[in-house]
DNA sequence: ATGGGTGCAAAGTGTTTGCAAGTAT
DNA sequence: ATACTTGCAAACACTTTGCACCCAT
């Protein structure tokens, strides 16, 4: 792997990602970074996010729509609201044994698995119930 | 929901999707459909795939990269090869009880979850071992 | 000084959409 | 006849990339 240098852009991107406990998209990070230094480009933010995730400093959460970034490093599961797009961490243990099982039954080398729950968050659920009270 | 009509384009798209037991992307389906009737447009294929999945006739598999389509209707899990992109079904039971658990602990209304295993398929694993024999 | 990093804009990938003409109902 | 569908091309959302200059090492 290529030797990496620390730049103020990279520092800033890292600081912003790590300040989040939700799961921002690259573009949200870009906007926040941009609010601090308005000369940083989208390309730089994408490149730095990629480096950070290659380096294992942040993880990517692959959900429908744009990818999101997460500063939690342990494998864990997520839930996404189909209505507002909010993503939350779940307090469920990562099921290590599934990786072994799949590896054994398929012959794949399994690195990990990702589990995404889909549904409606409490807020959107309530809103929807109000719109169609007894339907 | 809007009243739907059966057209020969829709029929053809459905036939092609259902002839697959792998997990073709929209574009692969487009190419096959196109081989049979070269006047069908990409837009039509995308629109029909969307209709079919709204109607519950096919399911979408959301993996990194382009979405894929699957004519199996029961919820099940997938494994994707990080190298060649191949996607396979897994013989693992869908964990219903997880949906209930997450619903209870988060207040979300959970519709389902998706689990994708990531790794290297036997073929790519072998190829990689040959390239770096003792490294 | 060297070569990785940056800003910019252009290009790339995958998907959606507006429109006028076509067609299933 | 009505209104859903089509083909086409343009637009869209997200991401990657080529290039000349910049700056951390």
């Amino acid at each position: 792997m290529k030797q990496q240098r620390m730049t103020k852009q990279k520092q800033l991107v890292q600081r912003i990602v790590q300040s989040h406990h939700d799961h921002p998209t690259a573009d949200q990070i870009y906007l926040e970074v941009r609010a601090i230094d308005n000369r940083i480009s989208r390309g730089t933010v994408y490149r730095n996010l990629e480096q950070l995730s290659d380096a294992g400093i942040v993880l990517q959460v692959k959900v429908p729509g744009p990818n999101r970034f997460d500063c939690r490093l342990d494998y864990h599961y997520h839930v996404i609201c189909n209505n507002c797009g909010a993503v939350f961490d779940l307090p469920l243990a990562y099921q290590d044994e599934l990786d072994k099982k799949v590896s054994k039954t398929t012959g794949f080398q399994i690195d990990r698995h990702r589990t995404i729950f889909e549904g409606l968050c409490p807020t959107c659920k309530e809103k929807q119930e109000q719109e169609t009270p007894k339907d």
Side-chain angles (χ1 to χ4, degrees), chain A:
Chain A
M1 201 197 283
K2 212 159 45 161
Q3 171 66 23
Q4 286 190 205
R5 293 174 186 182
M6 184 47 68
T7 61
K8 55 184 190 320
Q9 291 88 337
K10 196 179 298 182
Q11 251 166 10
L12 185 50
V13 169
Q14 182 167 351
R15 199 181 98 208
I16 296 297
V17 184
Q18 293 186 332
S19 75
H20 274 268
H21 285 173
D22 57 348
H23 304 77
T25 62
D27 213 63
Q28 285 168 347
I29 294 163
Y30 166 71
L31 290 173
E32 287 190 42
V33 160
R34 193 70 185 196
I36 295 170
D37 178 346
N38 72 358
R39 303 184 40 233
I40 293 183
S41 71
R42 261 199 181 73
T44 296
V45 171
Y46 276 92
R47 280 184 289 230
N48 280 324
L49 286 171
E50 200 197 347
Q51 278 199 4
L52 289 171
S53 83
D54 284 350
I57 294 167
V58 302
L59 293 181
Q60 297 196 226
V61 187
K62 305 193 176 200
V63 290
N67 282 176
R68 289 151 182 276
F69 294 85
D70 189 346
C71 58
R72 264 185 71 181
L73 291 182
D74 57 312
Y75 289 159
H76 59 282
Y77 302 146
H78 294 95
V79 58
I80 183 169
C81 174
N82 281 333
N83 186 245
C84 68
V87 174
F88 300 96
D89 289 333
L90 286 176
L92 277 186
Y94 181 84
Q95 299 177 289
D96 260 317
E97 68 282 5
L98 287 184
D99 293 342
K100 285 181 205 117
K101 195 191 263 184
V102 170
S103 173
K104 198 170 298 172
T105 56
T106 63
F108 264 68
Q109 169 196 312
I110 300 295
D111 297 334
R112 63 173 297 185
H113 63 271
R114 300 175 190 268
T115 298
I116 311 281
F117 290 78
E118 299 182 4
L120 278 183
C121 71
T123 311
C124 289
K125 189 170 57 174
E126 204 173 309
K127 206 172 296 172
Q128 198 157 300
E129 278 159 8
Q130 284 170 8
E131 280 163 15
T132 46
K134 51 191 84 179
D135 211 34

